Amino acid sequence: MSKLLKTKKSKSSLLFYCAMCTLATPALAENASQPTNKLTDGSLTTAITAINDEAAEWIDDHHEDVQDRLRNLAHSMDKWFGEPDPQKPASANLRVVFDTRWSNNPTDGSHVTVKPRIRGHIKLPVLERRLSIVIGDKDLDEQDVLTKGSAYGAGHTPNQSKVLDGKQVREDNASIALRWSKLEDTFGFDTDVGIRSGNDLFLKFSVDKDLHQTDTWQISNHNYYRYGTDSEHTLKGEINTQYKLSATRYFNNNINLRYRHEDDREQTTWGNEVRHIHYFNNNKQLSYGLSSYGYLEDGRLSLNSYGPTVSYRQPFWRDWLFLQTEFSYFNDKKEDKSHFPSTLLRIEALF
């Protein structure tokens, strides 16, 4: 009898426990759905937004500070030569580019190169001859990835063994030149007289002309000659043809010829680049096309490299910061390299 009572009591206890659990489950579920931490109730998003706003404010302040310093420098230099005209104030701008390129060719394997670059321009209108100062990497003026091939020069394979060659970076960016703008306004060409790293004194003559321009067609010509005490002779000529397909689409073709003479060695190269360019809202750009490059030797043209290129550029985070990606697929007959992929990631800041 006692065992029977114990068994009934244990069964009753078990049923009571199960009933209590059943009643308690909705309450537990309801409590579990309530946030146990304030950060899960939207506060985390608010905190992240606040941090992002503070970072954006900090970087905008520093960007504005750099711009103010550039303007003050230009105005101070302008005052050295007379009283500035408020209607024609001195101006200054700075372009900082950080290129990272990855390539995977059959000879050297996977390779990454990093190349910081800088370009600045200070215009001093007070000077009677309207001199301006050009600072930094001269090649940035020529290299427009969207219309003129890759940032390394389309079809070129970087051969440096280091990921970041500090010596080369200093040499590429350590230059300063004076430009006589009066010649550009009067005759349509300009001159640069300056010094580059390594005591390479140089003189550069350039001529830019619009050969034909209508609502749909634009044909322009760009030529320059540069002589440096170390780099010696460089001569380049190019014709750029642009056809307007619509308000946001353009067809672009660039033909160029370059001659170099250094240390009794001569080399003449040519290039032809065809691009279809799309312009979107908010300064977004997409470009794709085909390019071919080669040499001019003994009066004969030879094809050395050809392949497609796709590039996309847009601002990110701030309207003065730009992110650009590019993919190319070129070969190099002279280096005995078949077609291989190459990608570029460019971060650019405008001041």
Side-chain angles (χ1 to χ4, degrees), residues 89-158:
S91 61
N93 58 68
L94 186 68
R95 181 184 177 195
V96 180
V97 173
F98 192 86
D99 283 344
T100 302
R101 179 173 287 277
W102 170 85
S103 62
N104 187 18
N105 63 72
T107 304
D108 303 325
S110 182
H111 192 66
V112 176
T113 53
V114 177
K115 192 171 184 180
R117 318 169 80 188
I118 189 171
R119 181 66 164 170
H121 185 235
I122 302 175
K123 189 172 183 179
L124 308 174
V126 160
L127 289 176
E128 182 179 357
R129 296 178 178 177
R130 288 183 287 179
L131 288 175
S132 58
I133 300 175
V134 181
I135 303 169
D137 186 356
K138 62 182 179 59
D139 293 332
L140 280 177
D141 276 352
E142 301 174 35
Q143 294 172 355
D144 182 347
V145 180
L146 290 170
T147 58
K148 299 181 183 178
S150 74
Y152 281 93
H156 172 68
T157 306

Side-chain angles (χ1 to χ4, degrees), residues 27-267:
L28 291 173
E30 184 179 356
N31 290 334
S33 66
Q34 297 297 325
T36 57
N37 191 317
K38 292 183 178 180
L39 289 179
T40 62
D41 192 23
S43 298
L44 181 59
T45 303
T46 304
I48 294 175
T49 302
I51 293 173
N52 183 67
D53 290 342
E54 289 182 5
E57 183 178 357
W58 181 85
I59 196 171
D60 281 340
D61 289 342
H62 281 72
H63 179 261
E64 187 174 349
D65 182 59
V66 172
Q67 286 184 313
D68 290 340
R69 290 174 182 270
L70 288 172
R71 281 193 294 265
N72 291 336
L73 174 62
H75 293 162
S76 298
M77 296 179 68
D78 210 24
K79 289 180 180 179
W80 297 347
F81 307 99
E83 186 65 29
D85 184 355
Q87 302 299 323
K88 298 179 180 180
S91 61
N93 58 68
L94 186 68
R95 181 184 177 195
V96 180
V97 173
F98 192 86
D99 283 344
T100 302
R101 179 173 287 277
W102 170 85
S103 62
N104 187 18
N105 63 72
T107 304
D108 303 325
S110 182
H111 192 66
V112 176
T113 53
V114 177
K115 192 171 184 180
R117 318 169 80 188
I118 189 171
R119 181 66 164 170
H121 185 235
I122 302 175
K123 189 172 183 179
L124 308 174
V126 160
L127 289 176
E128 182 179 357
R129 296 178 178 177
R130 288 183 287 179
L131 288 175
S132 58
I133 300 175
V134 181
I135 303 169
D137 186 356
K138 62 182 179 59
D139 293 332
L140 280 177
D141 276 352
E142 301 174 35
Q143 294 172 355
D144 182 347
V145 180
L146 290 170
T147 58
K148 299 181 183 178
S150 74
Y152 281 93
H156 172 68
T157 306
N159 294 317
Q160 68 182 60
S161 58
K162 300 179 181 178
V163 174
L164 176 62
D165 192 334
K167 181 176 181 295
Q168 188 65 42
V169 169
R170 289 191 297 272
E171 290 181 354
D172 288 343
N173 292 285
S175 68
I176 185 170
L178 294 176
R179 175 172 296 171
W180 191 8
S181 305
K182 185 70 173 179
L183 289 175
E184 181 179 4
D185 294 340
T186 305
F187 302 105
F189 63 89
D190 56 64
T191 60
D192 290 347
V193 181
I195 184 171
R196 201 164 184 253
S197 60
N199 298 320
D200 185 16
L201 292 167
F202 66 85
L203 170 67
K204 181 182 176 183
F205 247 170
S206 63
V207 180
D208 299 314
K209 281 291 185 182
D210 290 329
L211 303 178
H212 178 73
Q213 187 167 1
T214 64
D215 292 339
T216 55
W217 284 96
Q218 182 176 343
I219 303 175
S220 59
N221 176 241
H222 171 64
N223 310 276
Y224 75 81
Y225 168 75
R226 184 180 185 275
Y227 178 80
T229 54
D230 287 345
S231 55
E232 298 188 16
H233 305 276
T234 302
L235 180 65
K236 182 179 180 181
E238 68 177 44
I239 295 179
N240 196 71
T241 303
Q242 183 168 274
Y243 178 70
K244 184 178 180 181
L245 297 169
S246 69
T248 59
R249 294 193 302 122
Y250 291 83
F251 172 84
N252 194 90
N253 183 63
N254 179 272
I255 302 174
N256 59 80
L257 191 68
R258 182 195 293 262
Y259 168 81
R260 288 204 64 185
H261 182 284
E262 183 177 0
D263 296 333
D264 296 326
R265 293 176 298 180
E266 294 181 295
Q267 185 182 72

